[in-house]
Amino acid sequence: MTSDNSVTRSEHPSDHPHIEALHHAAFGPGARARAAFRVREQAPHDLSLSFLTALNGAIIASVRMTPVLVGATEGLFLGPLVVDPPRKGCGYGKALMRRAVAEAAERGWSFVILVGDEPYYAPFGFKRLPPGQVALPGPVDPARLLCAELEPGAVAGLSGMITAARR
Ligand SMILES: CC(C)(COP(=O)(O)OP(=O)(O)OC[C@H]1O[C@@H](n2cnc3c(N)ncnc32)[C@H](O)[C@@H]1OP(=O)(O)O)[C@@H](O)C(=O)NCCC(=O)NCCS
């Protein structure tokens, strides 16, 4: 269960250094070598679709979403999802996932892709993409390339490289 004192809100530009510090604490310097990072460095994430949890004024969890293209089809790329290590296992990650996916659906996005552990993300509607259907700019374990279909039929039409959409 999450704490009653926690607040979830969309990200502001001034949150950036605090969220970067969370990423560093959770992933270390190796994160920049990952294929998912290479997608995200192409264009900024969407602040209005990126959420954080603050507890007693400190940012303790964050999820970001970046508009992407798969071939010519627009969708969202989710990540990083990160929780301050001492606060893991308290439900903050799940709460942010529910919020992010709900907002994406409400705003009419047709799919959300991420790279992550299927057992964690499956309860939010994420399933493995068929191998070879979607590529990232770097190697990725196909078992970790997951997609939540928000509009019926959206996944069947996806084909090609994920690139960040410049808006
Ligand atoms: C993964 C992470 C975001 C989960 O957030 P969290 O707030 O700790 O998780 P929650 O409290 O919402 O959920 C805990 C549940 O998820 C499970 N869980 C946590 N990480 C998991 C994983 N990688 N795979 C499967 N299940 C996982 C826990 O076992 C627990 O299960 P339970 O509810 O049955 O007890 C967090 O642990 C984290 O920041 N990890 C380091 C960064 C990272 O790996 N991010 C994901 C990149 S794809």
Side-chain angles (χ1 to χ4, degrees), residues 8 48-52 62-66 76-79 81 92-114 120-127 146-151:
T8 300
S48 73
L49 282 163
S50 298
F51 299 94
L52 59 80
S62 157
V63 63
R64 285 175 162 172
M65 291 210 276
T66 303
L76 292 170
F77 190 68
L78 185 147
L81 169 69
Y92 294 114
K94 289 180 183 176
L96 281 180
M97 282 304 300
R98 282 192 293 270
R99 176 74 181 265
V101 173
E103 292 276 349
E106 193 169 305
R107 297 193 208 177
W109 291 88
S110 59
F111 67 89
V112 181
I113 286 180
L114 61 78
Y120 186 76
Y121 293 105
F124 313 106
F126 287 83
K127 296 179 183 162
L146 312 178
C147 187
E149 184 174 74
L150 304 180
E151 188 180 289

Side-chain angles (χ1 to χ4, degrees), residues 7-148:
V7 174
T8 300
R9 61 167 171 81
S10 56
E11 191 180 323
H12 303 154
S14 60
D15 299 320
H16 184 74
H18 306 286
I19 293 171
E20 288 296 306
L22 270 188
H23 291 171
H24 192 79
F27 300 114
R32 288 173 181 267
R34 295 183 190 184
F37 182 87
R38 291 186 206 161
V39 174
R40 292 192 287 261
E41 70 181 350
Q42 294 172 17
H45 56 287
D46 184 331
L47 292 178
S48 73
L49 282 163
S50 298
F51 299 94
L52 59 80
T53 306
L55 182 62
N56 302 324
I59 295 172
I60 57 154
S62 157
V63 63
R64 285 175 162 172
M65 291 210 276
T66 303
V68 289
L69 291 169
V70 176
T73 309
E74 274 201 316
L76 292 170
F77 190 68
L78 185 147
L81 169 69
V82 65
V83 174
D84 189 24
R87 306 280 180 189
K88 280 184 182 181
C90 301
Y92 294 114
K94 289 180 183 176
L96 281 180
M97 282 304 300
R98 282 192 293 270
R99 176 74 181 265
V101 173
E103 292 276 349
E106 193 169 305
R107 297 193 208 177
W109 291 88
S110 59
F111 67 89
V112 181
I113 286 180
L114 61 78
V115 179
D117 292 331
E118 190 179 19
Y120 186 76
Y121 293 105
F124 313 106
F126 287 83
K127 296 179 183 162
R128 283 186 206 187
L129 280 162
Q133 188 177 330
V134 171
L136 268 78
V140 61
D141 177 354
R144 293 172 52 78
L145 186 53
L146 312 178
C147 187

